[in-house]
Every structure is written in C-alpha cells, then in structure tokens.
Amino acid sequence: MTALLEIGEVSVCDGRDGGKDYLLRPSLLAMTRIGTPAEIVQTYATIHGSDVARLIEVCSVMLGRFPDWLSPSFNRIAEKLLSTCMQVLQACCDEDLTPVIGEWEGWKRYIVYRPGQLPKNDIIVLAQHLLQHGVVGKAKVRQLQRHETGETTNEFKAFDYISAARNHFSMSREEASQLTMTEFQLLLAAKYPDQKGFTREEYDAVADGYLAKQAARRARAKQ
C-alpha cells in the first residue's frame, strides 16, 4: 500500500509475517472524527505538549523543582497523551487499528494499556505528523503578509474547508472531504499562483533596506 507522504499519508504494518498494511490519511473528514471544532484544537494542543509544558512551568516557577508527589500527575498526563494519540491514528484510518496501536482494557479496579505492534513513542510521533498535515498543513507555499494575521483560533472547522474546496476546485463533497490540509494548500497555490504582495520576509527586507538608506542619508547630511 503506497502512502503519499507529501500530503501527510502514512502506511503502517501490524508487524506479523505477511501482516496487514493500514493506510492513515489525515483528511478533513478524518479530522471531524476527532471531535467538535473546539475539541480538534484541544487535541492538537494536547498532542503537542501544552499540558506537559504548563506543568513544567508551574513547577519551575512556583516550586523550583519537581516534587516526588508529582509523578502521578505525569503518569496521568502520559496516559491522556497516549490515549489522545491513539484516537487520532484511529480517526485517520477506516479500519480497526487495535493490532497496531493497542487498546485500553479494564482489569480489576484499574484500566491498563495493552500494547500493539507500534511503540508508544511512534504512536505519539505519528499523531503529531497526522495532525500537522490535517489541521495546519505543511505545504511549502508562498504565504503573503496580508494573510499572516498572527491570530490564534479555538476551533478548526473542517467543514468550512470542505465547502471551500468544493467551490474552488469544483469537487464533490466526498472528494473534498478526502483532502488533507496540506493537499488543500497545494491545490489552492496551484490555482492562484500569481498573487501579488509581499511575504513577511520580503516586507521586512524592503523595510530594513529603506530604513538603512534613510539612516545613511541623514548621516551624510550631518557631515
């Protein structure tokens, strides 16, 4: 099974001799399986370490160290991280991924993780990769300064991008829903290649050059 890595697809195997291959595609439709628009953003934040970073900051600022009693907190964060990453991988696959990612099972008074073929670290790395291509997009396209608002959002509305893809590219709803965000960006850049304007880097370079010339002119005037 061939995965198109450039648009975020990943192929994983259950590891057995003659084992099964699974295709993971971080499509716009797959993102909706993660949850509501707000839950998608929260999932992205969780997988990219916001909870861990916040706990480390509190410890370093307020306590100056990591007390022994915090280890259960780290364990809970680690369990939440793994569970969230497993959810992302499953959302991006149309087949049951339990042989690959494992599962959580109740055991007496506890819930324990039964591992699959993939190590925990690989599950986390793959989830980060899938979300980056599914939510943010990793297309190397020219970003104009006027589009760089610097604003953050609490929601990722996948359906808005599906509707936009149908409008811009004359796609059916099914075709548009299978696009990854990276693929959407590449298609948009290919259809509108001649946008006029500066990127942030180009604007800064022109501005710096102008200011340098003005400073040189003032220096010569004082001589």
Side-chain angles (χ1 to χ4, degrees):
M1 185 179 299
T2 302
L4 299 177
L5 300 178
E6 295 82 0
I7 61 172
E9 291 181 347
V10 176
S11 179
V12 296
C13 180
D14 63 13
R16 298 173 298 182
D17 290 337
K20 183 179 178 62
D21 288 330
Y22 298 85
L23 179 66
L24 279 59
R25 182 181 181 86
S27 65
L28 295 170
L29 178 62
M31 296 301 101
T32 66
R33 295 172 184 157
I34 293 173
T36 66
E39 288 171 341
I40 295 171
V41 173
Q42 182 56 53
T43 296
Y44 188 96
T46 297
I47 287 180
H48 287 81
S50 63
D51 291 340
V52 175
R54 191 178 302 114
L55 184 57
I56 291 174
E57 181 181 4
V58 169
C59 290
S60 61
V61 173
M62 302 298 294
L63 303 174
R65 63 187 179 86
F66 295 103
D68 295 337
W69 53 263
L70 262 182
S71 57
S73 297
F74 277 109
N75 288 337
R76 286 194 294 271
I77 290 174
E79 289 175 356
K80 177 184 177 182
L81 175 61
L82 177 61
S83 179
T84 304
C85 290
M86 291 166 64
Q87 178 190 4
V88 170
L89 265 64
Q90 185 58 72
C92 293
C93 186
D94 293 330
E95 302 179 75
D96 180 20
L97 279 178
T98 300
V100 176
I101 63 176
E103 60 184 335
W104 295 93
E105 292 182 347
W107 182 73
K108 293 186 178 180
R109 292 178 300 169
Y110 305 97
I111 296 178
V112 297
Y113 172 65
R114 303 295 186 190
Q117 292 294 325
L118 279 180
K120 294 179 181 179
N121 286 346
D122 288 357
I123 293 174
I124 295 171
V125 170
L126 284 177
Q128 290 175 337
H129 168 88
L130 292 168
L131 276 188
Q132 287 165 5
H133 281 279
V135 174
V136 178
K138 298 187 69 174
K140 295 181 179 180
V141 296
R142 189 169 180 266
Q143 180 73 23
L144 299 185
Q145 182 196 2
R146 63 175 177 268
H147 298 154
E148 296 178 351
T149 63
E151 297 179 355
T152 58
T153 179
N154 294 323
E155 294 184 330
F156 176 75
K157 298 181 179 179
F159 189 75
D160 287 353
Y161 290 97
I162 293 173
S163 298
R166 295 179 66 184
N167 179 53
H168 286 291
F169 314 128
S170 300
M171 289 181 169
S172 68
R173 179 175 176 178
E174 183 178 0
E175 291 172 325
S177 67
Q178 290 302 314
L179 294 176
T180 68
M181 180 56 68
T182 298
E183 193 174 12
F184 176 86
Q185 292 172 344
L186 290 170
L187 288 172
L188 203 61
K191 184 167 184 178
Y192 305 106
D194 299 322
Q195 298 185 69
K196 299 183 183 300
F198 287 118
T199 65
R200 172 66 64 181
E201 291 77 13
E202 291 168 345
Y203 177 85
D204 289 344
V206 171
D208 291 344
Y210 174 79
L211 293 175
K213 290 179 181 179
Q214 290 294 96
R217 187 176 295 111
R218 287 194 296 270
R220 288 195 299 268
K222 292 180 180 179
Q223 292 178 352

